[in-house]
Structures are given as C-alpha cells and as structure tokens.
Amino acid sequence: MGILAKVEDRPTPKSVYNWRVYVSAMIASFASCMIGYTTSFIGTTVSLESFQDEFGLSTMGASQRSLIQANVVSLFQAGAFFGSIFSYSTAYYFGRRITLWTFVTMFIIGVCVTFAAIGGHLGPMYAGRFISGFGVGGCTMIVPIFISEIAPPAIRGRLVGTYELGWQIGGLVGFWINFGMTQSVAYGRNQWLIPFAVQLIPAGMVLIGSLLFLRETPRWLWTKGRREKGIANLCWYRQLDPEDAYIIEEIEMMDLQINDLPTGFIKPIRLALSSSPVLWRLFLGHMLFLLQNFSGINAINYYSPTIFRTMGVTNTETVDLMTGLFGVVKCIMTILWLTVLIDKLGRRTLFLAGGAFGAACMIIIGALIVTEPAAAEGAGLSGQGIATIFMIYLWTCIYITSWNGTPWVVNAEMFNQATRNVGQVGASMANWLWTFVIARITPNMVAGMGKNGFGMYFFFGSVSACAVVFVWFLVPETKSVPLDQMDRLFEIKPVRNAQPKLMDELAQNNADFAKLDRKDEEVPEQVERR
C-alpha cells in the first residue's frame, strides 16, 4: 500500500475523489489563509516606527504603548470569540455556504473600518479589529464543518487539513510582507497601510468563490427537509448518478441518522447539554485545544528572536530571517501532514507521537537555555546555541505534523449531525479563549520562570507529556470512520481499539448487504427459468 493510499470504509468509485470536492475545499480554505495572514502580520506591523509615529505611540511611556498594542491584538481575539458563538445561528438557519459568505463579508467590513484610522485615530482601529475578528471567529467555526460534510471518509482528514495549510500559507505571507515593507518601502504611511490592505485579497477570493462555485452541503439540506436538493448536491460533489450503488448507500446512511434528529434551533443545544455522550465529546474537544495552546507554540512564535539573540545571533536582519524560516518550515510540514500523515497514520497516532517527541524537545530546549553560559560580547554562536536553535526547528516540525491542525480535524468529524454545529462552536470558542490566555500570560512566564524563561519550556514539556496520557486513554481514532458512525465509535471500549472494531463491523455489514443484493438478483432469474 502506497503512502497516499486511501483507507475506505466501503468500495468507492474513483470518481468520488474528483476535482469538485478538492476545489470546493480549497475555496473554503482561503478563509483560513485570510485568518493566518491577519493573525501573523499585525504583531510586526504595530511595532513599525511608521505605525507608532502615526498613532502617537512613540511619544508614550512603555506601559501605555504596550497596552495599546495589546488592545489592537486582543480586541481581534475577543471579536473572534463572540463571532464563533454567533455563527451557530446563521449555520442553523441559513446553511454552511451562506454563513461562510456572511462572516467573510463581516471581515471585509472590519478591514475597511480600520482604514478610517488613518491620521492616528485609535477608535476606528479598535472597532475594525473587533469586527474583523468577529468575522474570523465565524469562519473558524464553519469552514471545518463545510469541508467535513462534503468530503468522502477516506480523504476527509486530507481535505479538512487544507484549512490548516491555508492558515500556514497566510502566516508565511504575513511575515514576509512585513519584512518586504521594512526592506523596500520608505518610511511613511504606506509601510503599515499596505499590509492592512492585503487582508482583502484572500477574503475577496473566498467571497467570490463561495458565491460562484460552492454548493450547500447535502447534510444541511437534509436537515431542512430539502431532500431532493440534497441528493442533487450529493451527486454533484461525488460525480455519480442518483442510481449508483454508492450514492444509494450514502443516502440510506444519512436517512437513518438525520430522520431521528431533534428539530428546532434550541433542541440541538439542549441535546448537547443534556446528553452525557455529547458532553463528553465537547469536553474532549475543549481539552484538545487547551493542550494545543499550552504545547508552547506561542512561546516559540513570539520569543524565538529573543532566544536567537541570547544564543549569540546579534544581527537584526539575520534574526528576522531565521524567524521567518519558521513560516517556511510550517508550510512544508503542513503539506506533509495533510497529504500523507493525517489519513495514513491517523489522528490518534499523530497526537501520541507529537506529544511524546514534543515534550522531549521542550525539556531539552529548557535544559540547553539554563546551562548556556553567558556569552562574551561579539562571541557569536556557541555550539550549545546552535543545538538550541536546531531543537527549536525540530520541535516546530513535530508540532506542525501533529498538534497544530489535528484538533480541528477531530472536532469537525466526531459529532453527529444533530450536534455538529454545537461541537464546532465549542471548538472555535476554546481555540480563541486559550489563544487569548496564553498570549497574555506568556510574557510573565518568560520574565518570571528563570533565566530566559527556561522554566516555561519545562512547563510546556510537562503539559505535552500529560497530553500523551490524555489521548491514550480517552481519544479514539476517527480516521476513515463515516460521519454517520461516530456515535457508534464512541460507544466502543477501550477507546484504543474502537476504530479497528468499528471498521470490522462496517466491513461485515457491507458483506451482508452484498449477499442480499445477490440473492435479490438470483430470485428473478430462477422465476424466469421456470
């Protein structure tokens, strides 16, 4: 079996893996490119001398300046938190496609409001950042749901993974555009305004693509009683006729699940909050994002320049380039993750391996930092400094191929149709909540946990080790499991054997179904011979 071989839940026609489903996933994932860019460029942009002079930050005290810069960043995160909550209602009433369109439009409005800040007006800057964050929050909720609902089971992880790839590509562009501004654009308003304006490019691509190409997911149409339209869209995404055996089986599975769904806007929420199995999955999803954020990614992202300087890299341009290489490494490893690892090795294996090796890397980084002797001025990189930098890059490779995008994949697929909206809202809220928390406490951890914050790395390593235990005992594998069978998956114990047992059950059911078909075909033939 090749590394790109698909693990199918049942015999699947090749046409199911067609260009329409891939292009639809990529169009939706431009929203994550938008998110990755806007969360990446802002930190460097607000530190530009031209931005600080425009808004009067350069004449303020250090504490006031830091507060304003923090507000510009954190208001975006606050908007994202509330946007992820509000998106539940639009996803329920108007569907996945219209919800995506609505929140991308909100993001564009927010970006345009920030343009009114020209001249040093902080009010429009704050308002625009909150509104654009509101749009981003809705997108982080709806994009994984949209992709998971149109994806065939064998490539669902790969397609939902395009969401993470878009995020990393956006982050890469966000860093290098700032680097380009400082190198090629003269001091002035354009130096900070152009990066703000570039936010409109990926947002515009999502807006146009969602209007002209994307179709509503069949599963949402089913829940609204629009079964015929749902079948038509299902056949369009699969490139099969309604009479095809694969389509008939998929229709039967959706009928069995969706006909028993609770109706109404509030009932799914009540079901989620009153059902122990659903509450358990909400807990698992929340914990995955907590563990993801406390793995140490923000410390590496935000404080790698400081680490490089303490290791002897003193040239500012060299530090910027070394930091920028993180974006390149992330993109390369994300491509490896979504094309090979996520559907080949599975989600659970990546969690376990990433947690174990990530913990080891963090502990080694902390040990290298605390034992590094003070370098003489102009001494350059020591051997220990080179080892620390190597471990930082190695940790980045491990994290990106395990804990970076995999929680989004698992959360998008582990809920049934009745509670999927609630589950994804919970995931998006958890992501933005813990992103906000870790961003606020990391500076204090760096300052208060020993030399260059070495204790912080021991802490992150300990959390990653705990994540291994958490996943081993509580998180089942979801690779190749049909969305309609997720309830059954979480019923099987122990969780480490749940997926193989379920796949065996499905294989047996398919074999029994095939036998019945052959018997049905044989009866008319016998009657005809008589």
Side-chain angles (χ1 to χ4, degrees):
M1 184 180 288
I3 60 173
L4 295 180
K6 305 174 183 70
V7 181
E8 299 172 340
D9 62 309
R10 63 189 190 277
T12 305
K14 290 183 178 179
S15 62
V16 169
Y17 310 115
N18 63 78
W19 65 273
R20 287 175 180 170
V21 72
Y22 281 101
V23 171
S24 296
M26 285 190 287
I27 289 174
S29 293
F30 268 108
S32 63
C33 187
M34 170 188 86
I35 299 166
Y37 176 82
T38 196
T39 54
S40 175
F41 90 94
I42 190 66
T44 310
T45 298
V46 298
S47 298
L48 290 174
E49 185 180 354
S50 55
F51 181 91
Q52 299 206 3
D53 288 348
E54 179 102 16
F55 290 90
L57 273 65
S58 55
T59 61
M60 298 177 182
S63 59
Q64 188 179 5
R65 181 168 60 250
S66 297
L67 176 63
I68 291 175
Q69 290 176 324
N71 288 341
V72 172
V73 175
S74 59
L75 279 171
F76 174 87
Q77 295 167 340
F81 179 84
F82 290 105
S84 62
I85 299 173
F86 188 78
S87 60
Y88 173 82
S89 59
T90 57
Y92 174 82
Y93 286 111
F94 304 112
R96 287 46 168 141
R97 175 176 170 269
I98 296 300
T99 296
L100 178 61
W101 184 89
T102 300
F103 281 91
V104 171
T105 302
M106 289 291 294
F107 176 82
I108 292 173
I109 292 172
V111 173
C112 292
V113 170
T114 60
F115 294 154
I118 292 174
H121 306 293
L122 283 172
M125 177 61 67
Y126 288 161
R129 289 291 292 170
F130 182 86
I131 296 170
S132 60
F134 191 88
V136 159
C139 289
T140 58
M141 180 272 188
I142 202 62
V143 171
I145 289 181
F146 175 85
I147 297 176
S148 69
E149 290 188 353
I150 67 170
I155 59 171
R156 189 172 59 236
R158 192 177 301 169
L159 290 180
V160 177
T162 61
Y163 172 80
E164 182 58 36
L165 177 61
W167 198 309
Q168 297 303 329
I169 291 174
L172 177 66
V173 174
F175 170 80
W176 288 108
I177 196 169
N178 274 317
F179 185 79
M181 291 298 103
T182 58
Q183 297 296 312
S184 58
V185 177
Y187 169 90
R189 180 173 293 162
N190 287 341
Q191 201 177 52
W192 66 266
L193 192 59
I194 291 173
F196 271 90
V198 171
Q199 295 176 95
L200 297 173
I201 296 175
M205 296 177 73
V206 181
L207 192 66
I208 295 170
S210 62
L211 289 173
L212 299 182
F213 186 81
L214 297 185
R215 297 195 179 189
E216 185 53 72
T217 69
R219 291 174 185 274
W220 181 83
L221 291 168
W222 237 270
T223 63
K224 296 303 176 184
R226 299 165 61 184
R227 190 172 183 275
E228 294 304 316
K229 179 63 174 176
I231 293 174
N233 283 10
L234 179 64
C235 294
W236 185 82
Y237 277 118
R238 301 291 183 259
Q239 282 196 341
L240 294 172
D241 295 326
E243 297 79 17
D244 190 277
Y246 185 89
I247 293 292
I248 293 172
E249 288 181 15
E250 194 160 359
I251 289 172
E252 289 176 349
M253 286 191 290
M254 283 196 283
D255 279 337
L256 286 172
Q257 185 189 50
I258 294 175
N259 286 344
D260 296 329
L261 292 181
T263 58
F265 178 77
I266 298 297
K267 284 184 179 180
I269 301 176
R270 288 177 179 169
L271 173 64
L273 298 179
S274 62
S275 169
S276 296
V278 178
L279 282 173
W280 178 247
R281 275 175 258 182
L282 286 170
F283 167 74
L284 291 179
H286 190 95
M287 286 300 298
L288 288 176
F289 281 98
L290 185 152
L291 293 168
Q292 178 204 57
N293 276 279
F294 278 87
S295 65
I297 184 60
N298 285 311
I300 297 295
N301 279 343
Y302 300 147
Y303 292 96
S304 54
T306 302
I307 295 171
F308 293 150
R309 288 189 178 95
T310 60
M311 293 301 108
V313 183
T314 55
N315 183 276
T316 301
E317 187 171 328
T318 302
V319 171
D320 288 343
L321 286 172
M322 292 178 70
T323 305
L325 284 177
F326 278 114
V328 178
V329 170
K330 287 178 181 178
C331 281
I332 294 172
M333 301 313 295
T334 300
I335 292 171
L336 173 66
W337 170 77
L338 75 88
T339 56
V340 178
L341 301 180
I342 187 66
D343 281 323
K344 180 66 176 177
L345 298 182
R347 294 62 156 147
R348 180 179 160 89
T349 301
L350 293 179
F351 280 142
L352 293 172
F357 289 109
C361 286
M362 276 293 176
I363 291 170
I364 292 171
I365 291 171
L368 287 170
I369 291 175
V370 73
T371 58
E372 171 71 6
E377 188 173 347
L381 266 174
S382 65
Q384 201 160 333
I386 293 172
T388 304
I389 293 171
F390 171 79
M391 292 305 301
I392 291 170
Y393 279 101
L394 178 61
W395 180 88
T396 302
C397 293
I398 292 169
Y399 172 81
I400 294 298
T401 53
S402 56
W403 279 88
N404 197 44
T406 309
W408 290 106
V409 175
V410 172
N411 226 87
E413 61 191 4
M414 71 176 177
F415 292 92
N416 60 30
Q417 187 68 32
T419 56
R420 188 168 297 124
N421 283 2
V422 179
Q424 197 59 32
V425 167
S428 187
M429 289 171 59
N431 174 68
W432 292 111
L433 171 65
W434 294 114
T435 297
F436 176 83
V437 169
I438 198 69
R440 286 290 187 178
I441 68 173
T442 297
N444 294 330
M445 294 175 75
V446 172
M449 297 186 75
K451 174 187 173 183
N452 294 323
F454 77 89
M456 175 182 66
Y457 297 96
F458 290 144
F459 171 76
F460 289 144
S462 300
V463 172
S464 294
C466 292
V468 174
V469 178
F470 179 84
V471 171
W472 176 260
F473 287 104
L474 302 179
V475 180
E477 178 58 70
T478 57
K479 178 184 72 172
S480 300
V481 176
L483 294 179
D484 314 89
Q485 297 295 325
M486 287 296 168
D487 288 343
R488 173 60 185 149
L489 175 72
F490 280 86
E491 292 172 356
I492 302 174
K493 304 299 180 204
V495 295
R496 62 180 179 274
N497 297 326
Q499 194 258 10
K501 288 183 179 179
L502 178 59
M503 298 307 287
D504 288 341
E505 290 179 9
L506 294 177
Q508 184 60 50
N509 291 340
N510 288 330
D512 293 343
F513 185 78
K515 287 179 182 178
L516 289 174
D517 274 355
R518 285 196 295 271
K519 286 182 179 179
D520 291 341
E521 292 173 358
E522 288 171 1
V523 170
E525 291 177 3
Q526 292 173 359
V527 172
E528 193 174 312
R529 282 198 295 271
R530 290 176 183 172

